[in-house]
Structures are given as C-alpha cells and as structure tokens.
Amino acid sequence: MHALLSSILSAFSIPGEILTYDTPSDGNINKTYRVSLRHNGEVRRYVVQGINQYVFPRPDHVMENIRLVTAHLRKKEPERTVLHFYETADGALLTAAGGEVWRVCDLIPSVTHSGRPSPMAAEQAGTAFGHFGMLLSDLDPKGLHEIIPGFHDTVSRYQALHHAAAADPLGRAAEVQEELQRLLALEEVACTLTRLQQQGALPLRVTHNDTKISNILFDPTGEHPVAVIDLDTVMPGLLAHDYGDAIRSAANQSAAEDDLRGARMDERILEAFTAGFLRETGTVLSAMERETLYLAPIVMTAETAVRFLSDYLMGDPYFRPRYPGHNLQRARMQMRLAEDLFARRAEIAAIIRKYLP
Ligand code: GN1
Ligand code: MG
C-alpha cells in the first residue's frame, strides 16, 4: 500500500516522504486513507481516496460536480473552509493506479460525530447543512450531472426491493418476510415526496444527498462545524432529502445504523437540528416544501431501510457489510426508526412549524 500511495501522491505532484497512513473511514462506499508526509522538515496531511466504481461508474462526473460546487461555495464565501482537491500535471482531479481511480485532498484537522451529537452540535450541524443548501440555492441544478440516476427516487427504490424479493438469488427472502411487510406498510407515505417532485410540485435544487452527521467536520472541540464533506452525491435533488437524512442519522437514540436500541427519535436532537437548518433555509423554501418537510425524516429512513434490505437480498453488492447479516441488521434498525418517525409525525410537524420563519 505504501508504494501505491506514494505513486498516487506523486501523480498529483505532492512531494515528501510518507511517515504514516491509516484508514479512518466509517463510510460504506469509498476506500479512504489518511496520509502524513514529511517535506522539507514539515509534516503535511492528506486524504487519499479510491472511488468505488461500482457505485460511481463515472468518477469524472463526480469530480466535475464537486469542482462546480466547491467553486461556487468559494466564490460566495472565500473565508470559509471548502474541500480542496489536487490536480495532476494535466489538470485532472483523478488518477488511475492499481486498477482504481484515486483523488487527493487536504486533510482538515477535525473530529466527526459518528455517535449521537449533543443538542448544541446538532444545531450547529443543522446550520452547516442548511447554510450549504442555502448557498447553493442560486446554482442551476441543470448544470450538474445526475451522479446516480434515481438516487433518492423512493418509488424506484421500492420497485428494486420488490424485484429483489421476487428474484431472491440467495434464498434470503423467506427470512425477511416480516421486514418486507412492515416496509410495505410505509410505502405510500415514503413515496410522497418523489411523487410530488415528479408532478412538478416540489423543486429540484442542488443538494448534498448524503447528509449523515458524520459528513460534517467539526473543530477539535466537537461543537463548531468546519466543513461539509463527502460531496460525491452533490447533484439535483430535494432539499427535504437533506433535512430528512440528517434527522435519520442524528436524531435517534444511538446513531449506529445497525443498533436496534437506537430506533427511536430523539426529540431534543430533532428540535436542535431543525432550528439550525430552518434558520438558514426557511426563507428559501416554497410553500409546498414547507408543508411537506415533516415527511422527509420518514421518507429517508424508510428509503434507507429499503436500500439495505434490497442489498441484503441481492448478496450485499453495494453496502460493504462488516459482519454476515449486517445489511439485514441495518435494514431492521432503519425500518423501526422509520416506524417511530411515522408514529410521531405530528410532533415533527409541530417542531418544524415552530422554527419556520
Ligand atoms: C452511504 O458514503 P457513505 O458511506 O457515507 C450511501 C448513503 C447512505 C449511507 C448509509 C453513495 O453513505 O446514501 O445513506 O451509506 N452513499 C451512497 O450509511 O450510496
Ligand atoms: Mg457518501
């Protein structure tokens, strides 16, 4: 690995001798290495990432979107930290080595919340993701590639689950009948936002699409966001998805996506995140967006359950499992959380109303 990392770094004209490297990522998709280099007596740190080409068949499109979005963010707020990717000698943001496609960016000294954030950190996270969406609200989504077609098309995600259960290539369907039935019970409500968007009632915007709380870097105190990361899925989408996915990942009792004990909404985190998010985006939202936002946490959590369960049925081709049955466990947790969010939708709607300007 040492030699591979070295050759990647030199393709990006980054000089120095590798001191250490490790793999920090709790991501399910890309391969990530943190690398320390010494150059002229100084230590510099970088993130080297191998892009998962099963998930991202066009890494060049991923990087074009990232270039566009980071340039827009930098132009609007030059003083703020934005991910910075290196270019090869011929101006490319990617290099191929060892059968993979790689990119390199500066490592931003920071901590992430992979567990539950404090309410204060959750409010800050809401502000960070909300601010991100607000700054991008004047960027035309037509200028961006659709990186993963139908990424948050909940209707197609449900169709894929029906197909996976019918095809049942590994004979796993019998064991997940209960999960299938319970997810089916949520199908209609979970598909509401996609249907409204298809009818033209909800606007497409430039959105992040993967607003897990761990995709915000905080300063070492863990309270102040420094940067929004994981821009791979920045593309046209619904702002509601960004709100909903953050609530899914942060406002529960455990935040580990496979921990069943966490499958209950934490109303303090819901409120804190919502306050921050709506302070930034409240004035941008259309009347229909305001009215339907309360559905977003249910939609995103049910959709994530559907994706994990489909993947389990198909033999885990997409989400890297860390133990056998991991994707089923993830699906169960997300399904239960979605049920809790659905049962408590009036509570969510009331909190949103409280913070809408
Ligand atoms: C994936 O990139 P990563 O590992 O943080 C996935 C998200 C899911 C998430 C669930 C491109 O996120 O959509 O919500 O796993 N990203 C992609 O943990 O599919
Ligand atoms: Mg991601």
Side-chain angles (χ1 to χ4, degrees), residues 203-219:
L204 282 180
R205 303 175 178 279
V206 178
T207 50
H208 183 282
N209 295 305
D210 191 6
T211 48
K212 292 208 272 203
I213 185 99
S214 55
N215 281 334
I216 296 178
L217 301 182
F218 285 81
D219 72 359

Side-chain angles (χ1 to χ4, degrees), residues 27-29 56 151 210 212 230 233 248 257 307 318-319:
N28 304 325
I29 308 287
F56 301 112
F151 189 52
D210 191 6
K212 292 208 272 203
D230 191 356
T233 50
R248 173 188 77 77
E257 284 183 332
R307 293 174 65 197
Y318 192 99
F319 295 106

